[in-house]
Amino acid sequence: MRGLAAGNWKMNGTGESLSEIKALLDAAPSPECDILICPPATLLSRMAALAEGTVLKIGGQDCHAAGSGAHTGDISAAMLVDAGASHVILGHSERRANHGETDAQVAEKITAAQAAGLTTILCVGETEAERDAGRALEVIGGQIDSSLPDDVDAARLVVAYEPVWAIGTGRTPTPDQISEVHDALRARLSDRLGTGQIRLLYGGSVKPSNAAEIFALHNVNGALVGGASLKADDFAGIIAALEAAS
Ligand code: 13P
């Protein structure tokens, strides 16, 4: 399976940050993996213009389930497409925690985003308390079951395992812990969707120094990177590690 190195810029970046995209494209003009950056909505169009004709794909960080209407501050899937996006992250733990997003809402968003032609990156992951209680696999399995709509198009689905306690903390799970979750995700998705071809990303404090160890794991097909995607040098290092692993 071709790897995917995806960057989630979260609420970071203004026009001057676009220089990092130029530097990234210079550093990795034709990588042996797919590359995606999900900037804040305000940068989507400008970044898409820079990415045109290159290998870089652009994605949103969320979308509304409705096509249009009285939803102040929200963005529809069609608007993301209009701005040049081909992907959208849905169900990120920061959306779930900060905006109270439920699995059912995430499922509706996946349906809407796929109907608009977007590839959806569904995020799942346990909190530290859930892991300490021995409930990580149960929590993640429940999120997969309830966040995937029945009509999901497997060909437009990527799943990211992002343990909440590893996001932005510099802490990462052990290789065994990542493998346990990714193997369970692979089995559950194969059961539900009848395909073993869904790309599984790991996310949470991925950086150039730990990327090779993570990409060496079976059933890890790439990464969803926060902080280290903001700097071209760091993200290029992660891309190089993914190329070397494939
Ligand atoms: P960090 O790489 O900054 O830990 O963020 C991970 C993440 O949440 C990506 O979506």
Side-chain angles (χ1 to χ4, degrees), residues 5 15 24 29 34 57 66 68 72 84 88-89 93 96 138 154 159 222 231 236 239:
L24 178 68
D34 292 335
K57 301 257 192 301
S68 62
T72 302
V88 62
I89 297 168
S93 60
R96 293 176 187 264
E138 173 199 331
V159 173
K231 290 272 164 254
I239 291 168

Side-chain angles (χ1 to χ4, degrees), residues 8 10 89 92 94 162 166-169 203-206 224-228:
N8 175 8
K10 308 191 179 183
I89 297 168
H92 192 283
E94 287 153 15
E162 298 208 316
I167 294 177
T169 59
S205 297
V206 177
L224 182 53
V225 184

Side-chain angles (χ1 to χ4, degrees), residues 15-203:
E16 49 185 50
S17 320
L18 294 170
S19 61
E20 295 297 328
I21 295 302
K22 293 184 191 131
L24 178 68
L25 289 168
D26 284 344
S30 55
E32 292 294 316
C33 62
D34 292 335
I35 57 175
L36 167 74
I37 296 283
C38 300
T42 48
L43 285 180
L44 275 172
S45 295
R46 279 177 282 173
M47 201 179 282
L50 277 180
E52 193 159 347
T54 76
V55 292
L56 179 65
K57 301 257 192 301
I58 305 299
Q61 300 175 7
D62 177 49
C63 70
H64 198 280
S68 62
H71 303 289
T72 302
D74 282 313
I75 297 174
S76 74
M79 290 170 182
L80 292 179
V81 173
D82 182 53
S86 56
H87 290 64
V88 62
I89 297 168
L90 292 172
H92 192 283
S93 60
E94 287 153 15
R95 301 286 319 169
R96 293 176 187 264
N98 300 345
H99 300 270
E101 276 188 20
T102 63
D103 288 339
Q105 287 171 322
V106 174
E108 286 178 5
K109 291 180 177 199
I110 290 177
T111 297
Q114 292 193 335
L118 293 167
T119 294
T120 48
I121 302 178
L122 167 64
C123 299
V124 296
E126 82 286 2
T127 62
E128 184 157 37
E130 288 163 344
R131 175 159 286 278
D132 289 347
R135 297 185 52 233
L137 290 184
E138 173 199 331
V139 167
I140 294 159
Q143 288 173 335
I144 286 287
D145 288 353
S146 310
S147 304
L148 282 182
D150 287 335
D151 60 356
V152 67
D153 176 0
R156 288 185 191 278
L157 178 67
V158 176
V159 173
Y161 167 50
E162 298 208 316
V164 176
W165 50 274
I167 294 177
T169 59
R171 296 168 59 202
T172 48
T174 65
D176 281 353
Q177 287 173 325
I178 297 175
S179 281
E180 183 186 34
V181 172
H182 279 241
D183 292 354
L185 282 172
R186 174 69 69 222
R188 205 153 188 132
L189 290 165
S190 297
D191 259 11
R192 168 100 180 251
L193 303 174
T195 172
Q197 294 300 306
I198 309 289
R199 287 202 280 198
L200 302 180
L201 311 183
Y202 168 76

